[in-house]
Each structure stands twice: as structure tokens, then as C-alpha cells.
């Protein structure tokens, strides 16, 4: 349940940032509409689209990187505990061999 709420909140934040950036960029281009030529307007439109995509991608990577770090940390801990468990089983087997065999010192 918590993951779903977090995903909804992060989605809303990404949507809000993208919407705000798009609104600002589009407002600037519409205010310049009368004073620009057709080629300049095409260039402004391309910059608008690229900047909106860049903002959305940046926000997505920011939120996704936190999840990736947590996932890598969990995997590292899991491997660590598996190695510890393996060493413990090896040591118990060695101790059993030493205890049950009579070595002449």
C-alpha cells in the first residue's frame, strides 16, 4: 500500500514539474509570437518540446535513482548474509571433522 501511495505522489510531482515548466516555456513563446518569423517560431517550438522532455526525464531519473540505490543495497546485504552463512556451514563441517577424528599430535 505504501509503495502505491509513493508512486502516486512521485508521479504527481513529476507531472506538476513538467506542467509548470511547459506552461512557462509555452507562455514565453506565445508572448514572442508577434515579433518572430516562422523559422524562429519553429525553433522556439522545438526548444519548448525538448525542454519539457528534459525536465520530465530529469525528474524521472531523480526519483528512480533512489529506488535503484535501495535495490542495490538490499542485494548487497543479501549476498553478504549468504556469504556469512556459507562460511558458518564450512566452519561447522571443519569443526565436526576435527572433533570426530583422533589426530596424534
Amino acid at each position: 500500500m505504501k509503495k502505491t501511495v509513493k508512486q502516486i505522489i512521485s508521479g504527481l510531482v513529476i507531472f506538476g514539474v513538467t506542467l509548470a515548466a511547459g506552461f512557462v516555456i509555452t507562455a514565453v513563446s506565445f508572448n514572442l509570437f508577434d515579433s518572430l518569423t516562422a523559422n524562429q517560431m519553429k525553433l522556439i517550438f522545438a526548444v519548448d518540446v525538448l525542454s519539457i522532455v528534459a525536465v520530465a526525464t530529469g525528474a524521472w531519473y531523480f526519483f528512480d535513482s533512489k529506488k535503484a540505490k535501495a535495490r542495490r543495497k538490499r542485494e548487497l546485504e543479501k549476498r553478504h548474509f549468504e556469504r556469512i552463512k556459507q562460511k558458518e556451514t564450512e566452519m561447522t563441517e571443519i569443526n565436526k571433522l576435527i572433533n570426530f577424528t583422533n589426530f596424534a599430535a
Side-chain angles (χ1 to χ4, degrees), residues 6-98:
K6 287 182 181 180
Q7 288 173 347
I8 290 171
I9 291 172
S10 66
L12 288 174
V13 169
I14 292 171
F15 175 75
V17 168
T18 306
L19 184 68
F23 179 75
V24 169
I25 292 168
T26 306
V28 168
S29 65
F30 277 117
N31 285 335
L32 296 174
F33 182 73
D34 293 334
S35 61
L36 298 176
T37 64
N39 286 335
Q40 291 172 335
M41 284 303 296
K42 290 176 186 176
L43 182 65
I44 291 285
F45 178 73
V47 169
D48 286 350
V49 171
L50 290 176
S51 60
I52 289 170
V53 168
V55 168
T57 304
W60 182 69
Y61 277 126
F62 176 74
F63 286 110
D64 196 43
S65 68
K66 289 182 181 179
K67 292 178 186 177
K69 285 179 185 177
R71 185 174 41 242
R72 282 193 302 268
K73 184 178 178 182
R74 282 193 310 268
E75 290 173 358
L76 179 67
E77 289 175 354
K78 182 181 174 185
R79 287 192 311 261
H80 177 70
F81 288 126
E82 286 175 357
R83 284 192 300 264
I84 289 174
K85 188 176 180 179
Q86 181 183 6
K87 290 285 185 186
E88 287 176 356
T89 56
E90 289 175 1
M91 289 303 293
T92 56
E93 290 176 8
I94 291 172
N95 286 335
K96 284 180 185 176
L97 283 174
I98 291 172

